[in-house]
Amino acid sequence: MVLLVNEKPGAEAAERRKFFESAGHRTYTLATSRGSVLTVMGSRTEEFEAFAESHDEYRLLAPDVPYVLASRKIKDTPTVVRLPNGAAIGGSDLAIIAGPCSVETEEQMMEAAHAVRSAGATVLRGGAFKPRTSPYAFQGLGVTGLVMMRRAAEAYGLAVITEVMDSDDIPVICEYADILQVGARNCQNFSLLKKLGRCGKPVLLKRGMMTSIEELLMSAEYILSEGNMDVVLCERGIRTFETATRNTLDISAVPVLRSMTHLPIVVDPSHAAGTWKLIEPLSMAAVAAGADGLVVEVHPDPERALCDGKQSLRPDRFSAMIDRIRPLASMVGRNLSL
Ligand code: PEP
Ligand code: MN
């Protein structure tokens, strides 16, 4: 795989894009420190070499990694995913994404939205289509849940993230959500990933229980290669021999990914730990390791939660935790809103 990179931003980009696309190549506009750059991807090395030789503004790049578009070798400035409510993931702000595992009732979502917003979160989470191990367990409220979540988010100025399990649901989820989440179980569902590459909304991609860091980047590459550059990676724990926690949080994934990719990296301590008592130390570790944000399950009444109550924080505990994270965040050069 080689890339032809136009280093002169803006120059005849639209026409060039058409020219390359009509020749059957994929083109991308990447925001780099030099401005937005037109990148053409293909495998016809000689043809590209000849083009680069006769066009000064173009340079041929042959990254030695398979995750070409996700790689720092093609883009060395961090990607910042911007959300309609003004929040960003990947910039100097520490993004706090919080809310219940599942949307249950309008009241529950209103309470959750109020609680997480007042503690400093900018994105409300909640599942409407749930990937449950058992087909007999609560499967989520579907579109009714999306409506409840959107209402609650609007009331408190929050953006919405929710999981998409089935590509048939992409259009309706796009109507209500600002970020589409791919759960750990679908991390390597390549046909879903390709469709999300064309959905026009940011995607948060969770690491699969058994995917390596390189495999996670290859999954992200499926989304990027369809033209969607707004991808956030999420470490949520992997399966190991250890049984003391639900999964093992791979904290080293944060600095390792940082060295490999320009994409934002967030950590979900809730699904890693499986118990609320470990959320704070794992969150602290994630922030210290350089994560761009946290995904935390918060429920107004964890004991009565229909899903993942054991690992959900009560609002008062969540708020106290965020207050303790604040000084640590500023030590590592991050701001927290509020
Ligand atoms: C979730 O975020 O609710 C979820 C199901 O997470 P994971 O895909 O990481 O298990
Ligand atoms: Mn959950």
Side-chain angles (χ1 to χ4, degrees):
M1 186 57 69
V2 288
L3 299 160
L4 203 51
V5 181
N6 178 349
E7 297 223 286
K8 288 233 175 84
E12 30 149 34
E15 259 171 56
R16 278 275 180 244
R17 175 183 279 267
K18 270 194 220 142
F19 167 78
F20 288 116
E21 283 175 358
S22 60
H25 298 296
R26 288 185 178 193
T27 66
Y28 303 90
T29 305
L30 294 173
T32 72
S33 43
R34 291 179 288 274
S36 77
V37 161
L38 176 68
T39 303
V40 188
M41 198 182 227
S43 48
R44 301 210 282 275
T45 316
E46 279 146 38
E47 187 191 326
F48 278 16
E49 243 163 21
F51 192 92
E53 256 169 46
S54 52
H55 294 81
D56 280 353
E57 71 274 31
Y58 280 90
R59 156 173 91 94
L60 192 70
L61 207 69
D64 54 0
V65 286
Y67 45 93
V68 181
L69 294 168
S71 167
R72 274 193 172 270
K73 297 196 172 161
I74 119 135
K75 181 173 180 276
D76 54 9
T77 50
T79 288
V80 180
V81 172
R82 296 187 190 284
L83 304 173
N85 68 338
I89 311 177
S92 55
D93 288 351
L94 182 73
I96 308 292
I97 302 170
C101 181
S102 312
V103 179
E104 297 165 5
T105 63
E106 181 118 37
E107 195 190 18
Q108 169 231 20
M109 286 316 286
M110 282 293 175
E111 272 182 51
H114 172 65
V116 303
R117 175 68 239 177
S118 18
T122 52
V123 185
L124 179 65
R125 63 148 288 146
F129 297 93
K130 292 302 303 175
R132 303 305 300 276
T133 304
S134 163
Y136 308 118
F138 175 59
Q139 303 286 304
L141 298 179
V143 179
T144 314
L146 295 178
V147 175
M148 289 174 184
M149 182 156 48
R150 183 84 234 169
R151 262 194 220 135
E154 297 276 332
Y156 295 98
L158 293 158
V160 166
I161 182 169
T162 196
E163 178 162 352
V164 54
M165 288 203 299
D166 187 322
S167 59
D168 287 352
D169 300 327
I170 294 176
V172 70
I173 293 178
C174 281
E175 275 179 48
Y176 294 97
D178 303 299
I179 314 176
L180 278 68
Q181 174 174 320
V182 177
R185 291 155 191 81
N186 269 319
C187 180
Q188 291 189 304
N189 181 340
F190 302 121
S191 69
L192 177 65
L193 298 176
K194 276 196 206 173
K195 286 176 184 145
L196 288 169
R198 299 190 288 267
C199 76
K201 295 256 175 163
V203 175
L204 182 142
L205 174 64
K206 287 192 150 191
R207 180 179 182 182
M209 293 171 201
M210 312 265 259
T211 49
S212 67
I213 287 174
E214 184 167 308
E215 283 165 343
L216 172 63
L217 288 172
M218 293 311 296
S219 290
E221 194 74 14
Y222 267 95
I223 305 169
L224 302 171
S225 66
E226 293 293 328
N228 187 351
M229 297 293 154
D230 285 336
V231 177
V232 177
L233 304 171
C234 180
E235 161 62 37
R236 47 75 76 202
I238 50 176
R239 276 215 171 146
T240 66
F241 58 84
E242 184 55 70
T243 54
T245 48
R246 182 175 176 183
N247 290 286
T248 299
L249 183 67
D250 180 7
I251 208 73
S252 60
V254 178
V256 171
L257 281 167
R258 183 73 69 213
S259 71
M260 297 164 90
T261 182
H262 52 85
L263 297 173
I265 305 148
V266 299
V267 169
D268 173 346
S270 307
H271 291 88
T275 166
W276 65 267
K277 288 193 177 145
L278 294 176
I279 309 295
E280 180 164 336
L282 296 185
S283 297
M284 291 285 196
V287 173
D292 294 300
L294 298 170
V295 181
V296 181
E297 285 188 337
V298 177
H299 193 290
D301 188 358
E303 263 116 68
R304 289 202 179 75
L306 295 180
C307 181
D308 285 350
K310 277 204 214 117
Q311 64 191 38
S312 299
L313 283 177
R314 272 185 357 216
D316 57 335
R317 291 200 167 113
F318 175 66
S319 169
M321 173 182 92
I322 298 293
D323 284 343
R324 286 188 286 265
I325 287 178
R326 222 173 279 279
L328 174 62
S330 73
M331 268 177 72
V332 294
R334 302 277 185 168
N335 312 310
L336 248 160
S337 69
L338 297 181

